[in-house]
Amino acid sequence: MTMSLEAKLVISSIALLATVSAVIATATTLLFNDFLTDRLDSQVSSAARRSTSGSLPPGSAPPEAREVSFLLLPGQSELTFGARIRQGAVRRAALLTDGGSVREVPPPPSLTRVTNVPVTVGLGPLGDYRMVSSRAPDGDLLVTGLPVTGMQSTLTRLVVVEAAVTLAGVALTAVACTLLVRRAVRPLGRLAATATRVSELPLATGDAVRLSRVPEVDTDPRTEVGQVGGALNRMLGHVETAFAVRHESETRLRQFIADASHELRTPLASIVGYAELTRRGGEPHGPQTAHALGRIRSEAGRMTTLVEDLLLLARLDAGRPLERLALDLSPLVVNAVSDAYAAAPRHRWLVNLPDQPALVSGDADRLHQVVTNLLANARTHTPPGTTVTTTVLLAPGRVSVRVADDGPGIPGHVLPHVFGRFARGDGSRSRLAGGSGLGLAIVSAVAAAHEGRVEVASVPGDTVFTLVLPAADDQILPPSGDQVPPAERRAADGHEHRGEQRERRGSHRAG
Ligand SMILES: Nc1ncnc2c1ncn2[C@@H]1O[C@H](COP(=O)(O)OP(=O)(O)OP(=O)(O)O)[C@@H](O)[C@H]1O
Ligand SMILES: [Mg+2]
């Protein structure tokens, strides 16, 4: 059973107190019972001695006190029981009443078994008696007894007092214990609150954070809670330092990549320029030189793309703010598909657009790059003849761009980290395969910078990338849910489609 520490401490203290009280009360009662019995026994013995030692003047005893006249001897207390046994037979049994007279009572059956050691004998409605027998000078056995009712009522009173005192003590202890324990565990609550606050911080982002600390009062090393509090604070301090150091080194690394990329751009541009100049310079080259110049130009071009990608990622990582302008994604998508068609006319390029403008607030160049990267993948990682369908969808509060192809799909080992940096399907990094593996990393980083996200689902024959962006505030929404007007669902070959686009959305020239 789960119980709070407070409840556990209070309940166990009370249980302990109740047990100890019960043991003490029982022991006291037993001892007191023994003591009272001893005292009664000595009283009975004295009464018995009185019964046998004295005698009343002859004829002075009233007739009803016949055979038990020893009850009327001076010193006998009221309610004393007396009986005479002659030759094993009870002659008479009687009681000395309150008024000093003698009243006959029926003798109990066990009376003849009473010896000179006191025993308890029941007298029916008169209650129990301690009785002892003694021999009279005339040879008869005289049984003398005293009632135990007085002793019993004393014992009952004792038990009642004990129970009342114990109950009151337990109740008082419960209240006091609850208050004390509550006070004692309060600092633990504060430690837990601090730990909870820290656990709710987004520590995984890698940013430098200021962690809250346990209050000063809870860090006193002389108390157990203080030791925990102090240790927690020291640990939080170390964690904070570690985060600061990590953040610092990440920032330095990002800065380094950004600087290096930036610095590489100029020499790369020069290399491309000079290669081009030499190629076109009119001087005759041998075929080998011409090939070498071509390679220099294309490799320098690849390197330029890589450097640009690295620079963009470094800037996005550094949280550089993007341009945020309201823009319609539909023409942007049409342009990007047209470019893709120009680059790969043997693929089938289809576009579905909604009637309303798909407004988002963002950076047009970056979003164009995102769509271009997705289309480039659908073009470069699939064979000619593959159908690539690009759809713009409107939903309450968001705009999505879906790029689907029926190519071979993303290799299983790449899919889980396809948005990671330098994640590529072909492990060889051969230059023929082209890409560097940064395309989707950029898609994901740009989506995140727009508070959006990108998702992928891929099986052979069906690969779908979905870019989801928050809609611009003035987005006009279709009546309900994701919706594409039926007219737009029509599939068309890239060429015809571009014609349609131009007609329908005259302001956006595609291709
Ligand atoms: N539509 C797709 N069909 C099949 N595989 C894909 C598709 N899109 C991406 N991939 C796989 O995911 C990998 C990572 O894609 P990503 O765009 O990040 O890098 P890349 O295309 O190889 O290089 P880069 O885009 O930097 O030129 C690719 O190498 C490819 O194996
Ligand atoms: Mg790519």
Side-chain angles (χ1 to χ4, degrees), residues 393-478:
L393 294 161
L394 301 185
R398 63 197 153 87
V399 176
S400 334
V401 178
R402 194 156 73 196
V403 178
D405 69 67
D406 58 0
I410 301 172
H413 67 280
V414 181
L415 191 56
H417 41 89
V418 75
F419 295 109
R421 285 159 199 200
F422 298 108
R424 311 188 325 162
D426 62 309
S428 60
R429 308 215 165 265
S430 66
R431 77 165 85 90
L432 287 176
S436 54
L438 288 178
L440 289 177
I442 287 177
V443 170
S444 157
V446 171
H450 283 84
E451 285 103 43
R453 62 179 195 279
V454 59
E455 293 156 4
V456 63
S458 177
V459 287
D462 188 20
T463 299
V464 182
F465 283 94
T466 313
L467 168 74
V468 184
L469 296 174
D473 294 339
D474 48 356
Q475 178 74 56
I476 306 151
L477 290 171

Side-chain angles (χ1 to χ4, degrees), residues 187-203:
L188 279 180
R190 289 195 292 264
L191 295 196
T194 306
T196 309
R197 266 200 308 281
V198 171
S199 70
E200 282 162 357
L201 289 175
L203 299 181

Side-chain angles (χ1 to χ4, degrees), residues 164-369:
V165 169
T166 304
L167 278 182
V170 165
L172 215 74
T173 311
V175 173
C177 210
T178 307
L179 292 179
L180 285 176
V181 168
R182 197 166 285 172
R183 234 184 89 170
V185 299
R186 202 172 295 148
L188 279 180
R190 289 195 292 264
L191 295 196
T194 306
T196 309
R197 266 200 308 281
V198 171
S199 70
E200 282 162 357
L201 289 175
L203 299 181
T205 58
D207 294 340
V209 281
R210 166 90 190 118
L211 304 176
S212 50
R213 296 292 155 82
V214 171
E216 200 63 42
V217 286
D218 296 330
T219 58
D220 186 345
R222 288 168 302 179
T223 66
E224 288 81 354
V225 172
Q227 286 165 14
V228 177
L232 194 63
N233 271 0
R234 278 194 298 284
M235 190 187 80
L236 289 172
H238 292 321
V239 171
E240 204 174 271
T241 316
F243 273 117
V245 169
R246 191 178 84 175
H247 179 69
E248 167 79 27
S249 85
E250 269 178 13
T251 312
R252 266 209 310 272
L253 189 66
R254 269 187 214 133
Q255 192 55 46
F256 170 74
I257 294 173
D259 291 348
S261 312
H262 190 76
E263 291 305 318
L264 280 170
R265 287 206 294 188
T266 319
L268 276 171
S270 305
I271 291 171
V272 174
Y274 281 116
E276 191 62 12
L277 197 67
T278 316
R279 204 167 62 87
R280 294 202 191 152
E283 289 166 38
H285 316 292
Q288 279 203 351
T289 315
H291 174 72
L293 282 174
R295 294 295 316 140
I296 290 174
R297 222 172 61 86
S298 77
E299 287 302 284
R302 255 166 62 79
M303 211 157 142
T304 308
T305 315
L306 175 62
V307 161
E308 295 286 353
D309 285 353
L310 281 175
L311 184 58
L312 174 59
L313 277 174
R315 285 180 176 166
L316 288 171
D317 283 351
R320 265 259 203 121
L322 291 171
E323 195 176 84
R324 299 305 282 267
L325 293 175
L327 65 107
D328 184 358
L329 279 185
S330 295
L332 185 147
V333 163
V334 169
N335 285 338
V337 173
S338 303
D339 294 347
Y341 169 72
R346 287 162 68 203
H347 281 62
R348 264 163 61 81
W349 298 96
L350 310 178
V351 183
N352 295 319
L353 300 176
D355 269 344
Q356 289 96 346
L359 290 179
V360 296
S361 112
D363 186 317
D365 288 344
R366 299 285 81 90
L367 290 176
H368 186 269
Q369 189 173 359

Side-chain angles (χ1 to χ4, degrees), residues 68 70 81-86 88-94 105-116 119-123 129-134 141-145:
V68 290
F70 60 89
F81 171 86
R84 181 176 291 270
I85 298 170
R86 187 172 299 153
V90 181
R91 304 284 301 169
R92 196 175 156 84
V105 294
S110 54
L111 197 59
T112 48
R113 290 201 295 277
V114 176
T115 63
N116 58 351
V119 284
T120 305
V121 177
L123 277 188
Y129 268 69
R130 282 300 269 186
M131 297 188 184
V132 74
S133 68
S134 49
L141 266 185
L142 303 185
V143 177
T144 314

Side-chain angles (χ1 to χ4, degrees), residues 373-374 376-377 380-381 435 437-440:
N373 284 3
L374 292 177
N377 282 349
T380 50
H381 304 298
L438 288 178
L440 289 177

